[in-house]
């Protein structure tokens, strides 16, 4: 059977046979159980033993996520950070990992307080210029770890070129695909070895759950990660698995509409005198060919003054001043003090994460209402 379109896979996964689940429930059941019974010693009749290791609801969600990334397998974790931490367990002391400098702040913190203690050597470069990666490679480089578009500066890195370098040096290419979701970008098809998702964002899509996924086509890596998950125990609960599964059903329509809203808002921001710079991949004319089928709904922008940024944060009413992204509600974030507080100040300044930078995750409200809210907030006075 040929692969069905992604809209179909969001709802059904890869359909290879008629829905056979018990009682023929249309919505997949939540198997809220810690353990599974056995009949014969040494046999595992249901295929399930204990929910830390595997659970039918989690397995179904993993199948669907794997189908979206065209992966042989996906492993569900209790958060995006748990998924990333598990990937770091693939490496040994003295291994070097080259990371995008435009990286989720939580990953920088993970490296600062855990990876370094474990002896990993982490280097940060601007991966949007591929030469920087080539220059940073050492004989101990075991992985290139990128986010594209990056967070929060939206730098786009060429996945195919990274994959070529990784292969040449025998390193793994790991791509955090949270910002575009599998709907707009499939890094495994472009040569990545591992794809990571924070399922808390676009996949679940409703700002109501925390989850993470690792997807791969490499059998050996997949088996290692399953063993790490079973051993360290940060697996996704049955109920949260179900919430992600339900959220994914509408992924395609949400991604399209959120992107449409983001385009309108990015263009409006460009025309405002109080806004100095708008960072949105959809405004960039030279994106790597064939890499992404959309530019998503994340926008960062720099205001003319710190006072203007603070006025927006203080005065927005419809838009919520909160961390996170990818959900139905439009959220605005102050990266310098929220998501990227753990990035050293000199690095923040160099990258452009300053007191004037705001990040917007555009939701599903009417775009004109979001614009009106931003307009009123900008014109509103900052009372001190
Ligand atoms: C949120 C996020 C993470 C971490 O995921 P959690 O589910 O919050 O643990 C990792 N990478 C990116 C790009 C994110 O946005």
């Amino acid at each position: 059977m040929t692969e069905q379109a992604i809209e179909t896979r969001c709802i059904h996964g890869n359909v290879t046979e008629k829905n056979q689940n018990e009682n023929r429930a249309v919505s997949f059941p939540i198997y809220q159980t810690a353990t599974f019974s056995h009949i014969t010693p040494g046999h595992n009749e249901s295929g399930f033993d204990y929910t830390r290791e595997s659970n039918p609801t989690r397995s179904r969600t993993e199948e669907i996520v794997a189908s979206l990334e065209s992966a042989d397998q996906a492993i569900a974790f209790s958060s995006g950070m748990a998924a990333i931490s598990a990937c770091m367990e693939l490496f040994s002391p003295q291994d070097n990992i080259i990371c995008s400098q435009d990286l989720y702040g939580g990953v920088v913190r993970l490296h600062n307080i855990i990876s370094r203690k474990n002896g990993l050597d982490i280097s940060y470069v601007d991966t949007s210029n591929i030469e920087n990666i080539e220059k940073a490679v050492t004989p101990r480089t075991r992985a290139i770890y990128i986010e594209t578009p990056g967070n929060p500066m939206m730098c786009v890195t060429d996945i195919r070129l990274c994959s070529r370098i990784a292969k040449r040096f025998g390193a793994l290419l790991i791509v955090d695909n949270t910002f575009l979701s599998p709907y707009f970008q499939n890094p495994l098809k472009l040569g990545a070895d591992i794809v990571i998702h924070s399922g808390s964002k676009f996949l679940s899509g409703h700002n109501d759950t925390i989850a993470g996924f690792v997807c791969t086509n490499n059998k050996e890596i997949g088996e290692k990660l399953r063993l790490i998950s079973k051993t360290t125990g940060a697996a996704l609960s049955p109920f949260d698995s179900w919430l992600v599964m339900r959220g994914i059903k509408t992924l395609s329509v949400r991604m399209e509409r959120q992107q449409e809203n983001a385009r309108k808002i990015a263009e409006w921001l460009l025309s405002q005198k109080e806004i100095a710079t708008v960072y949105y991949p959809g405004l960039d004319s030279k994106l790597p060919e064939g890499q992404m089928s959309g530019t998503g709904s994340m926008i960062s922008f720099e205001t003319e003054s710190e006072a203007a940024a603070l006025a927006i944060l203080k005065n927005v009413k419809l838009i919520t001043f909160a961390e996170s992204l990818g959900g139905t509600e439009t959220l605005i974030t102050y990266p310098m003090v929220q998501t990227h507080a753990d990035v050293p100040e000199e690095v923040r300044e160099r990258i452009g994460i300053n007191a004037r930078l705001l990040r917007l995750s555009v939701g599903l409200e009417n775009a004109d209402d979001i614009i009106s809210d931003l307009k009123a907030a900008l014109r509103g006075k900052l009372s001190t």
Side-chain angles (χ1 to χ4, degrees):
M1 196 168 185
T2 55
E3 189 179 74
Q4 280 131 346
I6 191 156
E7 293 85 349
T8 308
R9 282 179 277 137
C10 283
I11 299 165
H12 300 287
N14 278 323
V15 177
T16 49
E17 53 196 48
K18 240 174 143 55
N19 173 4
Q20 293 293 356
N21 84 64
E22 211 185 342
N23 301 325
R24 311 198 59 77
V26 169
S27 166
F28 195 91
I30 305 169
Y31 284 85
Q32 193 63 50
T33 181
T35 189
F36 299 83
S37 70
H38 298 264
I39 302 166
T40 329
H43 287 269
N44 175 351
E45 287 81 7
S46 69
F48 297 97
D49 276 316
Y50 188 59
T51 285
R52 168 158 40 76
E53 181 191 18
S54 60
N55 172 283
T57 314
R58 188 190 311 130
S59 297
R60 179 67 185 144
T61 304
E62 289 174 340
E63 273 168 36
I64 290 171
V65 172
S67 83
L68 299 185
E69 282 293 6
S70 300
D72 287 341
Q73 52 179 323
I75 301 157
F77 290 87
S78 57
S79 69
M81 287 314 303
I84 296 165
S85 303
C87 287
M88 290 304 129
E89 298 294 345
L90 295 170
F91 303 102
S92 305
Q94 275 97 55
D95 283 356
N96 166 257
I97 301 175
I98 300 172
C99 293
S100 304
Q101 64 177 11
D102 197 9
L103 205 62
Y104 178 71
V107 179
V108 177
R109 181 171 55 229
L110 175 76
H111 291 330
N112 288 347
I113 71 168
I114 297 180
S115 308
R116 280 194 210 286
K117 166 180 76 66
N118 291 347
L120 300 186
D121 168 37
I122 311 288
S123 24
Y124 297 96
V125 303
D126 174 4
T127 53
S128 66
N129 180 349
I130 217 76
E131 283 174 15
N132 295 333
I133 304 181
E134 283 184 309
K135 278 191 215 136
V137 172
T138 76
R140 299 237 37 147
T141 299
R142 295 287 177 269
I144 300 171
Y145 182 108
I146 62 171
E147 274 180 43
T148 178
N151 183 2
M153 304 310 291
M154 309 295 153
C155 296
V156 172
T157 295
D158 190 317
I159 299 174
R160 278 198 194 88
L161 291 183
C162 285
S163 152
R164 246 176 255 161
I165 297 178
K167 289 206 166 63
R168 179 143 49 93
F169 293 98
L172 296 175
L173 175 61
I174 306 175
V175 181
D176 181 332
N177 199 26
T178 301
F179 266 34
L180 287 181
S181 90
Y183 184 75
F184 284 137
Q185 182 167 274
N186 296 122
L188 295 178
K189 287 185 178 168
L190 303 166
D193 300 286
I194 295 176
V195 168
I196 291 170
H197 281 285
S198 166
S200 324
K201 315 296 170 56
F202 290 100
L203 289 177
S204 58
H206 293 72
N207 289 320
D208 59 8
T209 191
I210 300 290
F213 294 89
V214 180
C215 309
T216 184
N217 279 323
N218 182 314
K219 194 159 176 277
E220 192 190 333
I221 292 174
E223 280 167 8
K224 272 192 197 160
L225 285 166
R226 281 223 179 264
L227 184 61
I228 292 166
S229 167
K230 170 180 158 174
T231 305
T232 58
L236 191 61
S237 77
F239 182 59
D240 287 332
S241 299
W242 185 84
L243 280 174
V244 177
M245 190 192 316
R246 183 170 71 160
I248 289 174
K249 291 184 191 198
T250 54
L251 180 70
S252 64
V253 283
R254 284 187 285 106
M255 293 308 292
E256 290 287 354
R257 176 59 71 85
Q258 282 172 259
Q259 170 170 267
E260 195 183 311
N261 282 352
R263 284 222 174 96
K264 284 187 194 157
I265 292 163
E267 269 156 31
W268 178 81
L269 285 167
L270 269 182
S271 69
Q272 300 306 299
K273 66 176 191 321
E274 296 91 342
I275 309 298
T277 320
V278 182
Y279 303 96
Y280 176 62
L283 300 171
D284 194 339
S285 55
K286 41 178 204 320
L287 298 171
E289 209 178 311
Q291 172 159 310
M292 47 219 263
S293 61
T295 50
S297 47
M298 296 300 298
I299 304 171
S300 290
F301 58 95
E302 193 179 316
T303 52
E304 283 290 355
S305 64
E306 182 176 350
L310 293 173
I312 292 176
L313 293 174
K314 181 169 187 293
N315 298 329
V316 281
K317 292 194 179 75
L318 172 69
I319 300 169
T320 308
F321 175 21
E323 282 190 47
S324 202
L325 60 108
T328 44
E329 294 81 10
T330 296
L331 304 183
I332 195 159
T333 313
Y334 202 25
M336 184 182 82
V337 298
Q338 290 183 300
T339 50
H340 291 71
D342 285 304
V343 177
E345 191 182 342
E346 75 274 10
V347 180
R348 280 203 312 253
E349 282 297 325
R350 177 160 44 80
I351 310 176
I353 307 174
N354 55 40
R356 302 176 301 282
L357 188 82
L358 297 174
R359 192 190 76 185
L360 201 58
S361 168
V362 178
L364 282 178
E365 302 91 343
N366 183 292
D368 295 334
D369 288 335
I370 302 170
I371 290 171
S372 300
D373 197 40
L374 281 172
K375 196 188 283 177
L378 253 180
R379 310 284 186 266
K381 286 242 175 332
L382 182 70
S383 57
T384 45

